[in-house]
Amino acid sequence: MESYSGDINRLIEELGALPGIGNKSAQRMAFHILGLPMDRVKRLSEAILTAKQNAKYCKMCYTLTDQEICPVCSNPKRNHKMIMVVETTRDQVAYEKTAKYEGVYHVLHGAISPMNGIGPSDILIKELLERLKGDVEEVVIATGSALEGEATAMYLSKLIKPAGIKVTRIASGVPVGGELESIDEVTLLRALEGRVEL
Ligand code: ZN
């Protein structure tokens, strides 16, 4: 990497630190950016800055959004008595793409993982319990099928069921959170429709 000047190297390093971008891709992107007209580069960097500056958690479901209350939570046509619990905003978006789920969501921003030192208080479970004090009929647990997702599902079901709220789990076979978006909508829909009561 001695062959590029400091500024170009820095750009390649920053791009290469992004997920899924190897050094070759980072170089290709860097030189693509350097070949763009200045106004395009300004638009790109402004889009990154603006999205970052305005991104916040929805006050109700904690998904990442640029509004106080996200479009799903502020939609009166959604069933607010049904809450689907997901690990990430990306998972929520994947389910939203099926266009068949009519309830609302709760984003935990992670899953319980004792191996990685992530306990119940490290993800947004307290916030979920707070929401359940309202009028809720069903909680659909749609955390991933890996160890962490299952542990989280078990933990939540033990916590919520005594409150007399129906707790269901999406059908198995859906991979871990963050990977949901790579699954086709039919599979997600089948997992949702095949959910079982815990
Ligand atoms: Zn929301």
Side-chain angles (χ1 to χ4, degrees):
M1 296 300 289
E2 297 295 319
S3 43
Y4 302 129
S5 78
D7 287 344
I8 297 172
N9 253 341
R10 204 178 135 218
L11 177 60
I12 294 169
E13 272 171 30
E14 291 294 341
L15 292 168
L18 297 172
I21 309 291
N23 186 260
K24 265 192 181 162
S25 301
Q27 288 187 48
R28 198 163 51 232
M29 285 167 80
F31 285 102
H32 177 78
I33 290 168
L34 294 175
L36 291 173
M38 190 51 104
D39 65 317
R40 284 281 312 278
V41 179
K42 277 188 178 148
R43 275 213 315 260
L44 173 65
S45 54
E46 272 166 21
I48 295 171
L49 278 175
T50 310
K52 178 62 185 168
Q53 277 162 355
N54 294 338
K56 53 186 151 230
Y57 288 168
C58 165
K59 287 209 160 110
M60 293 177 84
C61 73
Y62 296 89
T63 195
L64 271 174
T65 176
D66 54 8
Q67 295 154 21
E68 292 294 305
I69 306 286
C70 79
V72 173
C73 289
S74 56
N75 184 349
K77 286 183 183 147
R78 304 293 290 238
N79 177 4
H80 289 256
K81 295 180 179 179
M82 187 173 187
I83 298 179
M84 184 194 282
V85 179
V86 291
E87 291 182 24
T88 67
T89 294
R90 287 158 71 198
D91 293 347
Q92 184 215 334
V93 170
Y95 274 102
E96 208 42 29
K97 274 195 193 143
T98 67
K100 286 276 160 52
Y101 176 68
E102 288 168 350
V104 293
Y105 299 89
H106 184 86
V107 184
L108 293 173
H109 292 282
I112 296 170
S113 173
M115 270 175 62
N116 295 311
I118 300 169
S121 58
D122 296 315
I123 57 177
L124 304 187
I125 289 179
K126 190 165 52 70
E127 289 77 358
L128 172 64
L129 298 181
E130 200 55 45
R131 291 180 74 189
L132 299 184
K133 288 178 183 166
D135 190 7
V136 177
E137 286 172 353
E138 182 179 348
V139 173
V140 184
I141 304 179
T143 52
S145 62
L147 210 58
E148 293 82 359
E150 291 296 350
T152 309
M154 292 288 281
Y155 182 86
L156 287 179
S157 112
K158 273 188 198 152
L159 214 57
I160 300 168
K161 261 170 38 179
I165 298 167
K166 185 178 175 186
V167 181
T168 56
R169 176 89 170 106
I170 53 160
S172 57
V174 176
V176 66
E179 306 293 326
L180 278 183
E181 65 201 299
S182 59
I183 304 179
D184 65 279
E185 285 146 33
V186 178
T187 309
L188 275 186
L189 209 55
R190 213 179 286 142
L192 180 61
E193 281 165 355
R195 69 185 185 277
V196 288
E197 193 161 352
L198 290 176

